[in-house]
DNA sequence: AATCTAAATGATAAAAAATATCATTTGATA
DNA sequence: TATCAAATGATATTTTTTATCATTTAGATT
């Protein structure tokens, strides 16, 4: 935790940004909720608990900054809000997500399974891949017994 | 074109919805721009050209209806607006997209390349897949000569 | 053809998310 | 300690989407 914060401080200084108390509080909230996918509003409410004077705009600005520096990733699960998550250590690409249409939970595939497909894309489309987004929508293992007809679980509300 | 419209009319009636003039105009705009990925605002402006009296709310309602009936797909390319496209004939799943970070163009992979990965997901995660979203961000074949260092083309603005 | 009625529409208000503005504060450096 | 660009907080504004509601319409029923 402390090491991660220090590391981020260095990443910021490397680009001559300061790790202000507000930024540090935001970073800590993100680290403490690393397995979640928090929205800016989520982060704001959590940061307020430890730094009540922080403004929403600062949270947005900090998230944007961390995203620009590739310290965190911006995510969009099609529910109308941008979500954020820490980027794993050496992760080259976004990892994959499994979104349950029944309970809403989000699971992760942290290994990159797209290698072979990306080779095909580069070859067949002459498209140089920089990053990707892969999300599966379906029924998670926790819900499978409660869902009789999975085909009826509509994903049309999700983009 | 006429057959497609008639077919959609039947899909609507099957759920006791009417193909009103406004809905038909909207459907025609979507059909005439089938290879694009139009936003609601885009559709609205195009529909206005042939049916100037239409209201924006009606366009939103129509797009939502067509999406609920799985006649069109809702898309989110992380640029802040929801986009829409006709669903291909027998398409089970969303097709894949290649988004160029340099020119913004969107190309498509209409074949479903995710079969093997989906099998792994179902097996290893006990997750029953209903649909998926796969997008690649990178440099398209048209732009590759203009982009010296593709690694620098940042995708951090995109969710 | 005239009447009826639920569905659909258009205008517009409201909500929700994100960004812009600007006066004030802060923190690294001299 | 004084300086000053960077950062912040409050809040206005923009943008996208949804909700509300009075009015109109399409299609069924006489
Ligand atoms: Mn994740
Ligand atoms: Mn497409
Ligand atoms: Zn579930
Ligand atoms: Zn391009």
């Amino acid at each position: 935790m402390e090491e991660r914060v220090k590391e981020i401080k260095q990443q910021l200084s490397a680009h001559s940004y300061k790790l202000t108390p507000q930024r540090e509080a935001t970073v800590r909230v993100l680290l403490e909720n690393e397995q979640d996918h928090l929205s800016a509003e989520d982060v704001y409410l959590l940061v307020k608990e430890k730094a009540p004077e922080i403004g929403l705009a600062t949270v947005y600005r900090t998230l944007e900054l961390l995203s620009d520096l590739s310290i965190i990733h911006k995510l969009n699960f099609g529910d109308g809000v941008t979500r954020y998550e820490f980027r794993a250590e050496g992760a080259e690409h976004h990892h994959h997500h499994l979104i349950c249409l029944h309970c809403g939970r989000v699971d992760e595939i942290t290994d990159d399974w797209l290698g072979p497909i990306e080779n095909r894309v580069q070859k067949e489309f002459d498209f140089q891949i920089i990053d990707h987004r892969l999300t599966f929508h379906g029924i998670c293992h926790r819900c499978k017994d409660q869902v009789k007809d999975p085909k009826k679980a509509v994903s049309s509300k999700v983009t």
Side-chain angles (χ1 to χ4, degrees), chain A residues 100-117:
Chain A
C100 180
L101 295 169
H102 186 253
C103 69
R105 250 180 291 229
V106 179
D107 293 323
E108 319 207 319
I109 304 178
T110 50
D111 295 331
D112 188 344
W113 290 6
L114 284 174
I117 291 181

Side-chain angles (χ1 to χ4, degrees), chain A residues 2 8 34 42 51 60 75 85 118 120 122 126 134 154:
Chain A
E2 299 312 315
I8 288 157
E34 203 168 2
D42 293 337
Y60 270 103
L75 306 173
E85 71 180 349
E118 298 200 335
R120 255 185 100 179
Q122 313 237 24
D126 192 15
L134 174 58
V154 279

Side-chain angles (χ1 to χ4, degrees), chain A residues 99-107 138-144 146-147:
Chain A
I99 301 179
C100 180
L101 295 169
H102 186 253
C103 69
R105 250 180 291 229
V106 179
D107 293 323
I139 306 298
C140 79
H141 63 94
R142 291 168 291 255
C143 292
K144 68 170 179 176
Q146 304 158 60
V147 180

Side-chain angles (χ1 to χ4, degrees), chain A residues 34-37 75 77 84-86 95-97 106-110:
Chain A
E34 203 168 2
Q35 59 283 1
D36 290 332
H37 301 91
L75 306 173
F77 291 156
Y84 302 87
E85 71 180 349
F86 252 96
H95 56 240
H96 318 321
H97 291 103
V106 179
D107 293 323
E108 319 207 319
I109 304 178
T110 50

Side-chain angles (χ1 to χ4, degrees), chain A residues 46-58:
Chain A
L46 289 167
V47 172
K48 283 220 108 176
E49 292 176 9
K50 51 176 68 171
E53 77 290 352
I54 200 169
L56 177 58
T58 299

